Amino acid sequence: MDLKSQKNFFQPRARLLLQLGDKLIKNENIALLELIKNSYDADSRWAKVKLRNVGDKKNGYIEILDEGEGMDIEIIENVWLEPGSDYKENLFRKKVRTPKYNRLPIGEKGIGRFGVHKLGTKIELVSKRKDKNEVVVKIDWDEFAKNKYLKDAKFDVFERTNPEYFKGNKTGTKIVVSGLRSEWDKRMIRELYKSVFTLNSPFHKTGKFKVELETDDSKALEKMPKWEDVQKFALWHFKCEIEGHEIKKFLYEFTPWDSLTGIKERKLTEEDDYISDRSTLVYEEKINGKKKETILNLSKNYGDNENPKSIGSISFEGYIFDRDKLTLDLSNHQGVALLKEYLDEQGGIRVYRNNIRINEYGEKGNDWLNLDMRRVNIPAKRVSNNIILSVIDLNEEKSSALIEKTNREGFIENEAFNDFCTAILYTLNIIETLRKDDKDSIRRKFNPTEKQEPVISSLGKLRDLVDSKVQPESVKIEITKHLVKIEEDYNHINEVLLSSAGVGLTMGVGIHEVQKVIAELNYLVKEESVPENILNLVKHLDELIENYSDLFRQAKNQEEDSVKLINGALFNVEYRLKAHDIHIIKNYQNKLNEKIVCSKRLMLGAIVNIIDNSIYWLERKRKKIDVSNTKFEKKILIDLYNNKNHIDILIADNGFGFGLPTYQLTKPFVSDKTVGMGLGLHIVSEVMKIQNGQILFPEVGEYDLDEDFEHGAVVVLRLNRKTI
């Protein structure tokens, strides 16, 4: 016998709407963008977002206002208050456009409004439609958590026959969110600004929909990088129209700066043979285990006969930059730091429908076309997200095969989406090939020789060798990934050196160290040694460069572990110490760990400077002793001494000792080396003064040292315990 249940229907819990807001809306920015898109759908010219006292969760509020068609009580009750309403979807399917600006709706899911829950606990909505009463909705989302079932969660909905906000002939919608869930800081406001102003394509200013952002924090939006400030740095511009199985229109422009004398500008269109020969979209696929090129047709029906779906025409436009330091140095433009900041945050390829942005694509960290990995594979040719700013424009009505995800974070990855990506990458490959020719022309004319810039030159040669000789492919990719990072880190360090000549003197050690490792790598690759050996050396170099970068980061005093600090300095010279066969005696590791307050960057530089001097003089002593066939073991001793008021870092070697009086050692341009600037110990002295410490050259007997070190060079870096 079957016992039939009396509950044969769904009874949603009240907290369901809260979960919808939490799970389907990623963050506050997307929640606000969804409300802004509602203003677009309402046929408004603009949407205004006001942030008032948002650093205070209790008293702050966010207001979104538009002058669109507005809503009456019928729409509020039957559409706005129905989660998942198909109202806009039906308008889209029937191609019903708005009366003023001929728009199709871009919001079809009917759930975006619940993202307001991400912003705050209370919402007040005021809306008015032409010739209708003003409608007010007041919701306290916390009440939903108190009620068990959705039907029990009540809130206020009423009409005003005498409008209080949209008076006269005014129409539109105003939403005020209070009881904020987050305390908005400067970073959050700036992130919102970036999101709002990338909502519209930067290349196509239609003037039909604008977003205004107001905040009462006057400093929050100071010095925000703008597209107009960055565009002047672009060397390449392209604009393409893709439809069906081919590139219908193609424009490629290379416009060198005036300072790039002797470099010719270049322009190609679809009428040029090079482009017309490559205009057909093709992709490679495997058929019966064999690779075969197949023509890609974006005009095919991705739906069915009753509900046909297509991709339609694709407009692909963008600007490409050269971030190579050596090239940027040739520019007469101001604002290189601004350029890099903008591209790091805004770079990539964005997607728009009818000039309204599709979320996620082009966001920092979302490499949806795998551009960064493509560049790792072929760094000299491919573009990465941080050197391109590009826009893909789609027609809302004709691109129905590209379906937005429910959470508004991009398209569903179906067959149409995969074909869409393939078409973009095929076109981008043509652009990259053309760009490489122009880029090479700049390099040939202006890049330094090996003598002028040995590290970059050697890295370039190494990349070419790895690309042509290293197998298997997985190892080649791994090695190239490290080499790309090494060059970026090296350029960053070199750039800081230009504005920090003092601390930059220690870079001589770094260049020497890096050059030696790269030289050995070049040798190994030429000899086609085991790829794993090459990979290990590249990883070592990667770590080495990263540690050297600590020398040039902004000086900031903070608590440091003294033992770890010394270990970090030794790591920076590890390869040189091995190359010169120097034995390090690490007595400091036997001492109790002491915390010191100092600038890690400056102290690393000071320690490396002293060790560098020891390496030089120990090598000089070895050469002299070799003549007499006497055995000599080169040694450097490092020790820690903990005193009542200060901590001493002692560095001693068993070399010749100082040939100059100690009072002259820290004077600038005084050196006992055959070739030397005489600034190393002067820099160390200045570094210690900045930290209220000092450099000392103790007499024999002041410290208990083995006989080996009594006649060598002994240096003490003294840091006060209390204030540094």
Side-chain angles (χ1 to χ4, degrees), residues 437-455:
D437 289 342
D438 297 323
K439 185 178 176 181
D440 288 345
S441 67
I442 297 174
R443 299 293 188 273
R444 284 192 296 269
K445 184 170 179 63
F446 293 102
N447 261 22
T449 64
E450 187 169 355
K451 288 183 178 179
Q452 292 171 314
E453 187 61 272
V455 173

Side-chain angles (χ1 to χ4, degrees), residues 281 283 296-298 300 302 311 314 402 414-425:
L281 303 174
Y283 67 99
L296 180 67
N297 185 8
L298 302 180
K300 69 181 182 182
Y302 292 92
I311 293 178
I314 301 170
L402 297 171
N414 54 17
E415 181 189 2
F417 178 75
N418 292 333
D419 287 352
F420 168 65
C421 293
T422 300
I424 295 299
L425 289 173

Side-chain angles (χ1 to χ4, degrees), residues 312-329:
S313 62
I314 301 170
S315 174
F316 183 26
E317 182 178 5
Y319 292 82
I320 304 177
F321 302 80
D322 193 332
R323 291 182 61 149
D324 186 274
K325 178 184 178 299
L326 301 170
T327 304
L328 287 175
D329 284 346

Side-chain angles (χ1 to χ4, degrees), residues 17-26 114 117-118:
L17 293 189
L18 307 183
Q19 292 173 328
L20 283 173
D22 277 334
K23 304 300 182 184
L24 297 179
I25 305 297
K26 182 178 179 181
F114 298 108
H117 171 61
K118 279 279 189 186

Side-chain angles (χ1 to χ4, degrees), residues 546-592:
E546 189 168 354
N547 272 270
Y548 263 107
S549 69
D550 280 340
L551 300 178
F552 307 101
R553 293 192 178 112
Q554 183 179 0
K556 181 181 179 181
N557 282 6
Q558 57 187 25
E559 190 177 81
E560 299 287 347
D561 185 320
S562 55
V563 171
K564 287 183 178 179
L565 182 71
I566 297 171
N567 285 338
L570 286 175
F571 183 85
N572 286 342
V573 290
E574 178 186 18
Y575 189 84
R576 292 193 66 210
L577 292 170
K578 287 181 180 178
H580 289 280
D581 195 26
I582 295 174
H583 175 53
I584 300 292
I585 301 171
K586 302 178 180 180
N587 283 359
Y588 67 92
Q589 291 187 332
N590 300 323
K591 303 295 175 68
L592 290 174

Side-chain angles (χ1 to χ4, degrees), residues 77-103:
E77 290 178 343
N78 299 322
V79 178
W80 203 86
L81 295 179
E82 287 190 6
S85 166
D86 60 356
Y87 176 73
K88 288 187 180 180
E89 186 177 355
N90 287 333
L91 291 178
F92 179 81
R93 189 182 297 116
K94 295 174 183 177
K95 309 305 178 190
V96 178
R97 294 180 174 272
T98 57
K100 285 185 181 178
Y101 302 115
N102 200 34
R103 296 172 183 163

Side-chain angles (χ1 to χ4, degrees), residues 8-110:
N8 56 357
F9 55 89
F10 289 109
Q11 192 168 1
R13 298 271 179 161
R15 63 192 184 100
L16 174 63
L17 293 189
L18 307 183
Q19 292 173 328
L20 283 173
D22 277 334
K23 304 300 182 184
L24 297 179
I25 305 297
K26 182 178 179 181
N27 53 40
E28 292 90 348
N29 287 354
I30 291 180
L32 276 168
L33 290 178
E34 285 302 311
L35 296 176
I36 291 170
K37 288 181 179 180
N38 283 344
S39 297
Y40 174 90
D41 287 345
D43 217 16
S44 179
R45 286 179 304 162
W46 44 257
K48 295 179 180 179
V49 180
K50 296 181 181 179
L51 307 179
R52 294 292 182 264
N53 199 24
V54 291
D56 182 346
K57 290 198 294 185
K58 184 178 180 181
N59 299 311
Y61 68 91
I62 299 171
E63 178 184 298
I64 304 96
L65 174 69
D66 68 50
E67 56 148 25
E69 293 182 316
M71 294 178 282
D72 56 22
I73 191 67
E74 183 180 351
I75 294 177
I76 290 289
E77 290 178 343
N78 299 322
V79 178
W80 203 86
L81 295 179
E82 287 190 6
S85 166
D86 60 356
Y87 176 73
K88 288 187 180 180
E89 186 177 355
N90 287 333
L91 291 178
F92 179 81
R93 189 182 297 116
K94 295 174 183 177
K95 309 305 178 190
V96 178
R97 294 180 174 272
T98 57
K100 285 185 181 178
Y101 302 115
N102 200 34
R103 296 172 183 163
L104 282 172
I106 57 176
E108 303 172 40
K109 309 299 181 185

